[in-house]
Amino acid sequence: MLILGIESSCDETAAAVVEDGRRVLSNVVASQVEEHKLYGGVVPEIASRRHSEAIVGVVNEALEQAGVTIDDIEAIAVTYAPGLIGALLVGVNFAKGLSFAANKPLVPVHHLRGHIASNFISTENLEPPFLCLVVSGGHSHIIEVRSYTDLHIIGRTRDDAAGEAFDKAARAMGMPYPGGIMMDKIAEEGNPEAYKLPIPKVAGAPLDFSFSGLKTAVINTIHNAEQRGEEINVKDLSASYRKAVVDCLTKNFMLAAEQTGMKKLVIAGGVSANSLLRRELEKQCEERGYEFYRPELKYCGDNAAMIASQGYYEYLNGNIAGLDLNACAQRSIDLG
Ligand code: KG4
Ligand code: ZN
């Protein structure tokens, strides 16, 4: 069964054709990142405009590369939440129009459920139940994935998301948006013990995260050095900061595994591309005898193959929207 996926929640216009939730026939991503770099972050108005310009070409390209026409498609899956509202609306409205014109069912997909599904594409035999750490630019959650469509949040960030924490600290160190990727590269050459940074905890909620104090500590370190006329060692500060963020993520994730008794651990979202996070979790899972799964690097960031994959499971579960489907800037992953 072929599903056409459409994604436009942030700064990537994407479309893909996926067979039976697992086999990617095409995966087209038009990134706007170079334009947003000029402003140090995503400018929502620009994102919406670029989505409107790109979407027809991107969807046509995805069908063409898959060697199919719209008639071969069983259903159209679209990201409807969460994200930038103007950006989401472009994908949702395009999908609605296509669904109406081609007489195909419309399947609403939660963006973070899509990120989790990137693992179904990357690992053919991975099936729920499992525990998932979802870390993206806007969210950080620990989720019990009981089935493809039954998900429960058991830990979440109280302030910044992990990706946001990387991007803001990287920006303070002078790196271009999105700084998380560059910081990861630079950190490989630094000493993670060089700068002492706090490992924040949330009192009374050991599975929750808090990154804003850590980010402030880095910004204060930079300002203090500036005031004293000292040079910051960007490699060492990047390595120390990356280690602090990864320590917070892995510590809570391991505790969640202990508490739930789940032994299959999965990561997803843009930050799941982080090389230290991947190495650390691989090591710690091996030590504890857990299975560990992560998406291929090309599916960590925003793409539509993951939306088509999750769309397949939502469709099998009867999750079909009418033409009154609306986009939502915020919506919890457990609500679908
Ligand atoms: O999932 P994603 O592509 O978009 C959202 O749904 O938000 O995540 C983007 C985030 C950005 O904050 C980016 O800096 C971060 O993922 N990111 C990384 C790495 N690659 C992407 N953060 C740390 N290390 C990386 N290698
Ligand atoms: Zn994303």
Side-chain angles (χ1 to χ4, degrees), residues 82 110-117 119-120 126-136 138-157 207-209 249 252-269 281 293 310 314 331-336:
H110 190 286
H111 181 76
L112 296 181
R113 288 189 178 203
H115 272 300
I116 296 172
N119 284 283
F120 303 140
L126 175 67
E127 285 178 5
F130 54 76
L131 200 60
C132 191
L133 175 69
V134 184
V135 271
S136 70
H139 298 85
S140 297
H141 288 329
I142 299 176
I143 296 170
E144 244 187 73
V145 181
R146 296 182 185 168
S147 78
Y148 290 104
T149 52
D150 181 15
L151 296 88
H152 292 259
I153 303 173
I154 59 171
R156 65 177 80 228
T157 183
L207 299 184
D208 283 1
F209 305 105
L249 294 171
N252 290 17
F253 198 27
M254 289 301 143
L255 183 62
E258 240 171 69
Q259 286 187 358
T260 57
M262 288 177 119
K263 293 183 168 27
K264 210 192 275 185
L265 273 62
V266 177
I267 54 172
L281 284 174
Y293 299 93
Q310 181 62 23
E314 299 286 350
R331 185 171 169 88
S332 187
I333 188 170
D334 43 8
L335 298 175

Side-chain angles (χ1 to χ4, degrees), residues 12 111 115 135-138 163-164 166-167 178-181 184 269-271 273-275 300-302:
E12 259 99 30
H111 181 76
H115 272 300
V135 271
S136 70
E164 194 182 356
F166 272 123
D167 293 343
I181 305 160
D184 189 20
V271 181
N274 188 269
S275 38
C300 287
D302 289 346

